[in-house]
Amino acid sequence: MPTRIIGINLSHDSSVCLVEDGRVVSALALERTTRVKRGTVPLSSYAPAMADLTGELVAAAGLAPHDVDYWIATSTESRDEEDERRLASVLGLLVPAERQLALPHPGHHLAHAAAAFHSSGFDEAVAVVVDAYGSLMRPGRERESVFAFGAGEPPRTVLRHVRDLDRIAGHRKNGRIWIPEPLSGIGELYRVVTLALGFNESGTTYDDAGKTMGLSSYGRRLSEEDLFIRTGPDGISFDGAVDSLVELGLAARREDGLRLIPRAPDAPLQDFHKNLAAQIQSEFEEACLYLTRQSMDLAGTRSLVLSGGCFLNSLLNTRIARETEVERLFVYPAATDDGNAVGAALYAYHYLIPASARTSQRPGPPLRDVFLGPPRLTGPGNTPDRIPRLAENWRHPVHRHDDLSAAARAAAEAIARGEIVGWFQDRAEFGPRALGARSILCHPGIAGMKDRLNARVKFRESFRPFAASALAEHAHKWFDMPAPDAPFMLTVCPVLPAQCATISEVVHVDGTCRIQTVDADLPGGLRELIEHFEDATGLPLVLNTSFNLRGMPLVERPEEALDCLFGSRLDRLFVGAYEFAAPDFTALRPVRERGEMRLSIDLAASGSLLADEAFLTSEATHSGRVPRRISVMELRLLDYADGATSLGEIADRCGLDRDVATDMVLELRRHGLLRWSGLPGPSLPAFPVQQYVPTTSDR
């Protein structure tokens, strides 16, 4: 009988995985099932949400809880060995003592490292972990950690940096964001500057570091001197970081602490912000380069594995591949905390269970793909008529192709025509990157496609770049690759100058592109789609971005994919072998979402009721939406949205171009202020325990 282990991560980006004989069978982050970014559901709903997720993965494997041999959990908030042993009970799991395992404390960075090493296929390596914060350490927290791994031996701690304070930088009080003094840690400083730039998840203090990385290419360092992270012959220092924040007007010392002064989310980005992003990105890269070189020297190896959220920074990963003496490099694709469910379970398999329960003492094969979510189109509970019934529920026609290959051909032809396509396949990717199962795809060479995609489908900032998915054997003809392959979209490389104009929509302002190489054995149809696209256009690559709208997790179920089709300017949606065309929005009937919505006019901001802008506050909103400014014309659209009048008629009454009116209504729908009458609404979490809804003062 195989040995089965459930791994659970209980920090932000909570997740669950199932490991069988040292192989990851399935894994999924909590945000995918709750539809709340980072899995930050109210505390009263957390245990049932995690129980639902665990049950779903177990059932999808055709198992029952009693079929699981061992359970192990990890968290940033465990303080000692006893806390590590009690983690599973936090969820109310009644696990027999002999089946409950525990990481040695501190376990957070150890789980990161184990996930990376035991997915690399290497026989030995040094694992470097850098993130914003790790386990509590009495006192303090993990900052950066380094472990040496060898086959058949427990990992050895090579280096561990611990910050003096255990408090996490960036907590809300009285509507403000506060940070501790002093600051320390490579990840903490990148996080604080990201928050100062105004890049945080809506209504939370979770930083959106990918925006800082994208913006950095538009700027130049503010100073030749390091301001936040100083790297020199003697190592890495954070002395003066707080003084720099204060001098730049990004923080202020108050009697009750150090208050961050972030850019308002709706304020324009100035040259200062671009240069600030360039400054922290440069200092961050230099510090991590120093640490990885030091780690390889201390461990005596040139095999390097990386994990922790900082290694989702693809600019950094590329520099490590090019500028260090590394011979073998592996970056774990779920490098943020969701990957720690896998790390805990793999650590348990290789080091905690009896040797007799392991089929092999050798490291497993390298990770080939991360399509690890539970089946959404096949398997238990997915009947053959599921998608036709879903189409009927949305009152929308659907076409079924003969097979996935035919669907891939149709999608490629649509992309070649200039359409933006949603591509949804059975098992979702584990981690933040869309790699061909939950992707939005379009033409990489049609001028204006990037701006159209940002503004009308993703609803995100115009400065953010897009990635390319390329046939592996042709990637080197288009990109200056730092390594032969890049299957997990974790490196950035220059586009060859002769090719830039041909694939302009995936070329960032600095001439680079984040790249996914697509091998012949990749499941899910993306390979065939790109091959058909190459036949039609001569281009062996497509633009690939995550299948979600701004502020929301990637879609997980077909229902959420349909909701995106009816909530954005996607031209076409493919769900397995099924194809949906975009709806005729002008024929749909918008209706106001009433509930507890409160509409107020901020006269200080608008001057009068006839001014160009008003201020809207929505109280009963999902996933922490915050107040936003809306135009008087949008107020008129809201007034006409009675559920009986079509969008086309409303546009005519308002004297608006129907295309413009559609964009405005979709934006209002995205903010939870409108829905389509008679059609399903967004998929929201529902739990048997009453949820606490935060008030404005708590945000």
Side-chain angles (χ1 to χ4, degrees):
M1 290 289 291
T3 299
R4 302 184 180 100
I5 303 172
I6 287 286
I8 302 172
N9 176 57
L10 297 174
S11 61
H12 69 79
D13 296 296
S14 293
S15 57
V16 180
C17 83
L18 172 63
V19 165
E20 190 171 281
D21 283 344
R23 179 178 64 89
V24 182
V25 173
S26 58
L28 196 66
L30 183 64
E31 70 171 18
R32 301 294 184 90
T33 54
T34 62
R35 312 307 304 151
V36 178
K37 194 80 169 171
R38 312 297 290 269
T40 54
V41 298
L43 185 60
S44 60
S45 297
Y46 183 71
M50 288 294 287
D52 281 355
L53 176 58
T54 304
E56 198 167 356
L57 292 190
V58 171
L63 305 173
H66 65 261
D67 295 318
V68 177
D69 299 288
Y70 300 101
W71 302 71
I72 187 168
T74 183
S75 169
T76 57
E77 303 312 297
S78 55
R79 297 160 296 183
D80 50 31
E81 302 284 349
E82 180 60 28
D83 274 1
E84 297 280 355
R85 286 192 293 270
R86 293 180 56 249
L87 282 174
S89 65
V90 172
L91 296 178
L93 293 174
L94 303 178
V95 180
E98 66 275 12
R99 294 192 178 193
Q100 185 166 322
L101 305 175
L103 289 166
H105 183 78
H108 184 75
H109 281 185
L110 183 59
H112 273 309
F117 175 71
H118 290 291
S119 301
S120 67
F122 299 167
D123 55 352
E124 56 85 25
V126 62
V128 179
V129 179
V130 183
D131 59 10
Y133 57 91
S135 289
L136 288 166
M137 291 286 291
R138 289 187 185 273
R141 282 185 184 273
E142 291 177 303
R143 216 181 68 192
E144 299 96 24
S145 300
V146 179
F147 305 90
F149 283 82
E153 298 180 357
R156 170 174 59 89
T157 302
V158 174
L159 189 69
R160 176 176 283 122
H161 295 149
V162 180
R163 68 167 51 102
D164 294 334
L165 297 176
D166 61 14
R167 208 181 76 206
I168 299 166
H171 71 282
R172 284 189 178 272
K173 181 176 67 175
N174 301 326
R176 308 285 188 178
I177 297 178
W178 299 80
I179 54 178
E181 187 175 0
L183 295 169
S184 67
I186 299 170
E188 178 168 78
L189 265 298
Y190 201 94
R191 167 184 165 79
V192 167
V193 174
T194 294
L195 292 173
L197 286 165
F199 298 152
N200 57 287
E201 302 289 354
S202 180
T204 75
T205 56
Y206 287 104
D207 60 285
D208 200 341
K211 294 182 182 180
T212 302
M213 183 184 70
L215 185 64
S216 68
S217 298
Y218 288 84
R220 302 177 67 180
R221 287 177 61 120
L222 292 166
S223 169
E224 292 184 5
E225 295 184 5
D226 291 336
L227 301 178
F228 310 106
I229 309 171
R230 293 176 167 83
T231 304
D234 297 329
I236 303 167
S237 167
F238 310 95
D239 295 341
V242 170
D243 289 339
S244 294
L245 289 169
V246 173
E247 290 168 7
L248 292 169
L250 301 171
R253 290 185 172 94
R254 297 289 185 259
E255 291 183 2
D256 51 350
L258 187 64
R259 180 167 68 85
L260 200 66
I261 306 174
R263 179 188 67 91
D266 57 351
L269 287 164
Q270 307 290 348
D271 287 344
F272 168 76
H273 301 112
K274 299 171 185 176
N275 296 339
L276 176 63
Q279 182 82 28
I280 191 62
Q281 178 68 31
S282 174
E283 294 181 13
F284 167 79
E285 290 175 9
E286 291 301 325
C288 289
L289 284 167
Y290 178 93
L291 180 63
T292 52
R293 291 187 181 112
Q294 179 190 33
S295 300
M296 287 189 287
D297 288 344
L298 289 173
T301 180
R302 291 293 176 258
S303 296
L304 177 66
V305 299
L306 306 171
S307 192
C310 288
F311 292 112
L312 289 179
N313 192 300
S314 46
L315 290 173
L316 166 65
N317 296 338
T318 302
R319 289 196 65 187
I320 291 172
R322 290 192 191 279
E323 299 180 30
T324 70
E325 298 73 28
V326 64
E327 295 174 0
R328 296 188 297 180
L329 175 65
F330 178 78
V331 185
Y332 188 63
T336 188
D337 283 12
D338 51 354
N340 275 15
V342 170
L346 290 178
Y347 186 93
Y349 180 80
H350 287 280
Y351 308 113
L352 298 180
I353 66 174
S356 59
R358 293 196 293 269
T359 56
S360 172
Q361 306 295 322
R362 299 177 60 81
L367 189 66
R368 296 289 300 166
D369 68 73
V370 288
F371 297 146
L372 296 172
R376 299 302 183 187
L377 302 177
T378 62
N382 293 297
T383 59
D385 65 341
R386 180 180 182 187
I387 303 305
R389 285 191 291 108
L390 185 60
E392 184 178 346
N393 195 29
W394 281 87
R395 303 179 185 179
H396 196 61
V398 62
H399 172 71
R400 189 188 188 286
H401 292 276
D402 291 339
D403 52 29
L404 182 57
S405 179
R409 180 184 295 276
E413 291 171 351
I415 294 168
R417 294 193 300 267
E419 295 188 6
I420 299 175
V421 164
W423 184 252
F424 181 105
Q425 298 305 318
D426 194 17
R427 302 187 67 181
E429 305 92 337
F430 183 55
R433 303 289 186 240
L435 301 171
R438 302 292 186 274
S439 290
I440 293 175
L441 309 171
C442 61
H443 200 301
I446 296 178
M449 185 64 74
K450 178 177 80 73
D451 293 337
R452 176 182 157 203
L453 183 56
N454 265 329
R456 306 185 79 186
V457 177
K458 298 285 286 187
F459 300 104
R460 69 180 200 173
E461 300 90 345
S462 60
F463 68 83
R464 298 178 66 183
F466 291 106
S469 295
L471 299 179
E473 64 272 25
H474 295 304
H476 68 282
K477 302 173 186 176
W478 295 81
F479 307 98
D480 180 8
M481 301 284 291
D485 61 358
F488 303 121
M489 205 182 281
L490 289 170
T491 54
V492 164
C493 50
V495 181
L496 297 179
Q499 309 288 23
C500 283
T502 307
I503 55 171
S504 59
E505 302 311 284
V506 295
V507 182
H508 197 28
V509 65
D510 59 359
T512 66
C513 177
R514 192 169 73 225
I515 176 72
Q516 174 197 9
T517 52
V518 180
D519 289 312
D521 59 351
L522 186 75
L526 180 63
R527 171 79 187 197
E528 280 189 275
L529 187 155
I530 300 174
E531 289 173 341
H532 291 309
F533 182 73
E534 183 186 25
D535 290 342
T537 65
L539 301 177
L541 69 151
V542 293
L543 185 157
N544 181 3
T545 188
S546 55
F547 196 165
N548 67 322
L549 305 185
R550 181 180 179 181
M552 294 299 293
L554 273 70
V555 298
E556 175 59 26
R557 300 178 177 89
E559 290 82 355
E560 294 136 22
L562 263 291
D563 186 64
C564 279
L565 182 67
F566 278 77
S568 73
R569 287 307 192 98
L570 278 177
D571 294 302
R572 206 164 297 275
L573 168 65
F574 290 82
V575 179
Y578 290 90
E579 177 182 347
F580 296 84
D584 176 5
F585 287 112
T586 61
L588 301 179
R589 294 171 289 115
V591 60
R592 291 184 297 276
E593 285 280 20
R594 295 187 181 276
E596 301 176 36
M597 188 181 74
R598 177 169 60 84
L599 189 65
S600 64
I601 303 297
D602 183 352
L603 295 180
S606 64
S608 77
L609 293 178
L610 299 178
D612 291 336
E613 287 191 335
F615 196 70
L616 178 145
T617 302
S618 179
E619 293 291 359
T621 55
H622 176 50
S623 69
R625 292 192 184 100
V626 294
R628 64 174 289 268
R629 297 191 186 281
I630 66 170
S631 67
V632 171
M633 184 57 71
E634 287 176 312
L635 289 174
R636 291 185 65 190
L637 289 174
L638 281 169
D639 190 48
Y640 281 121
D642 56 8
T645 309
S646 72
L647 173 55
E649 293 173 302
I650 292 174
D652 295 343
R653 291 182 187 180
C654 293
L656 278 175
D657 177 86
R658 290 187 170 197
D659 202 43
V660 172
T662 298
D663 287 341
M664 294 172 72
V665 165
L666 290 176
E667 178 71 8
L668 292 170
R669 183 182 186 272
R670 186 175 71 86
H671 282 275
L673 305 174
L674 291 176
R675 59 182 171 84
W676 300 120
S677 179
L679 296 180
S683 302
L684 303 180
F687 302 107
V689 180
Q690 183 178 1
Q691 294 192 37
Y692 162 68
V693 178
T695 64
T696 304
S697 61
D698 295 322
R699 296 188 181 120

